[in-house]
Amino acid sequence: MERTGAIEKQSMVRLENIKKSFDVSGKSVEVIGGIDLDIEKNEFVVLFGAGQCGKTTLLKMIAGLEDITKGTVYIDGKKSSGFHPGVGMVYQTTSLFPWLTVMGNVEFGPKARGIKKEERRKKAQYYIDLVGLHGFEKHYPVKLSGGMCQRVGIARAYCNDPDIILMDEPFGHLDAQTRYMMEEEVEKIWAKEKRTVIFVTNNIEEALYLADRIIILTECPAVVAKEYRIDLPRPRSMVSEEFLALREEISQLVDIPRESEEKAV
């Protein structure tokens, strides 16, 4: 809990001394070394760090998809155990049902909960339109581009009315131009459909473009190295002086090649 004067503010997500170890060849290997973190309602938080530093593992523990070795996760003030119905997830790969159309994928959650067809179709159509896929309702995933499939995944997550959306490097496999377009789309959707978002990436530009706050994790065992509250106005320019200064500062903390260097490899 945080206190401002006499007013107590409750976090939407609270992590208390979260630790995670895996058994590797009979030895216990710690990947998360003790993380305390509070995330506010409607805040867009980016978990940032080098590859294989435990970001995805931490996200899965928040989602209830990975057991916690030690510590506690609280969702909206209540101790979380197992998958929480108020949490939606967008994965690195699209994870769409190939036998369902765009409409079928987006309405899947409400349909599974028994919501009547007319109501769930209206809701699904709203989110399909929101992610820019109007006219593709009857298309199957095999007929869609990678970026379009991720739009379906985002619409599907929102259609379940989650309080919290977890995104695990959802644009990492896209080409640079499509990735930037998807970052713009996510920012616009978040601005319109406020949710608490926890987003995993190891791309500095992506983190700075999207985040209210960036949580920088160390290499394994991961702990919080530093936090940055990003007060740049939205939509953000990736070539502004302030943006580039922050990019340079963060790149000094985390050993990640610049995008231009990655392309040259």
Side-chain angles (χ1 to χ4, degrees):
M1 301 289 183
E2 297 178 1
R3 290 186 179 273
T4 306
I7 301 173
E8 186 178 80
K9 185 191 292 184
Q10 181 171 288
S11 304
M12 179 56 72
V13 179
R14 183 178 178 86
L15 309 182
E16 288 189 352
N17 193 32
I18 296 297
K19 295 185 177 184
K20 178 65 179 180
S21 298
F22 289 102
D23 182 76
V24 180
S25 301
K27 294 180 64 176
S28 180
V29 177
E30 189 175 50
V31 294
I32 306 291
I35 290 179
D36 293 287
L37 185 62
D38 286 278
I39 298 172
E40 298 175 10
K41 183 177 182 180
N42 298 335
E43 188 177 18
F44 199 121
V45 170
V46 170
L47 302 179
F48 180 78
Q52 308 301 314
C53 75
K55 302 184 299 295
T56 295
T57 299
L58 185 59
L59 206 69
K60 287 181 177 179
M61 289 193 288
I62 294 170
L65 299 174
E66 185 75 59
D67 291 336
I68 299 169
T69 302
K70 184 178 180 181
T72 308
V73 174
Y74 294 91
I75 303 293
D76 200 15
K78 298 178 181 179
K79 184 176 180 180
S80 181
S81 178
F83 190 79
H84 194 284
V87 176
M89 190 126 181
V90 180
Y91 298 89
Q92 293 179 25
T93 53
T94 54
S95 301
L96 300 180
F97 299 118
W99 60 88
L100 295 179
T101 62
V102 167
M103 176 62 75
N105 271 282
V106 175
E107 70 168 355
F108 182 82
K111 183 177 180 180
R113 298 200 310 271
I115 294 176
K116 292 181 180 179
K117 183 176 180 179
E118 183 179 356
E119 181 182 349
R120 71 174 187 257
R121 284 282 168 93
K122 182 178 179 181
K123 191 174 188 178
Q125 188 66 57
Y126 170 78
Y127 287 110
I128 289 170
D129 294 346
L130 187 65
V131 300
L133 288 178
H134 181 79
F136 290 89
E137 294 83 356
K138 295 182 180 180
H139 284 61
Y140 289 89
V142 70
K143 297 293 185 180
L144 304 177
S145 68
M148 293 170 78
C149 284
Q150 284 296 42
R151 289 170 190 256
V152 178
I154 292 167
R156 182 174 63 181
Y158 271 94
C159 198
N160 276 314
D161 278 336
D163 298 313
I164 301 158
I165 293 183
L166 309 177
M167 295 188 174
D168 184 16
E169 297 194 63
F171 313 138
H173 68 289
L174 303 177
D175 63 83
Q177 183 177 1
T178 304
R179 183 173 191 157
Y180 178 67
M181 290 173 59
M182 290 304 302
E183 289 163 1
E184 287 186 315
E185 287 297 318
V186 164
E187 197 276 335
K188 289 176 184 177
I189 294 166
W190 173 78
K192 186 172 183 179
E193 291 283 318
K194 287 290 189 181
R195 297 289 197 281
T196 302
V197 175
I198 307 175
F199 190 105
V200 162
T201 187
N202 60 7
N203 182 283
I204 296 176
E205 288 84 4
E206 188 166 75
L208 284 169
Y209 186 80
L210 292 172
D212 288 325
R213 187 161 48 116
I214 298 174
I215 311 299
I216 298 179
L217 302 179
T218 65
E219 294 188 15
C220 294
V223 297
V224 176
K226 193 168 184 177
E227 297 185 16
Y228 283 88
R229 190 166 293 279
I230 311 301
D231 294 322
L232 301 177
R234 297 177 184 273
R236 292 169 181 162
S237 168
M238 291 189 181
V239 294
S240 72
E241 185 177 337
E242 296 85 357
F243 190 101
L244 293 174
L246 276 170
R247 187 206 186 287
E248 184 63 25
E249 183 176 342
I250 293 172
S251 69
Q252 299 300 316
L253 289 174
V254 184
D255 186 20
I256 297 176
R258 288 175 170 79
E259 195 167 314
S260 60
E261 293 171 347
E262 291 173 341
K263 290 177 180 177
V265 174

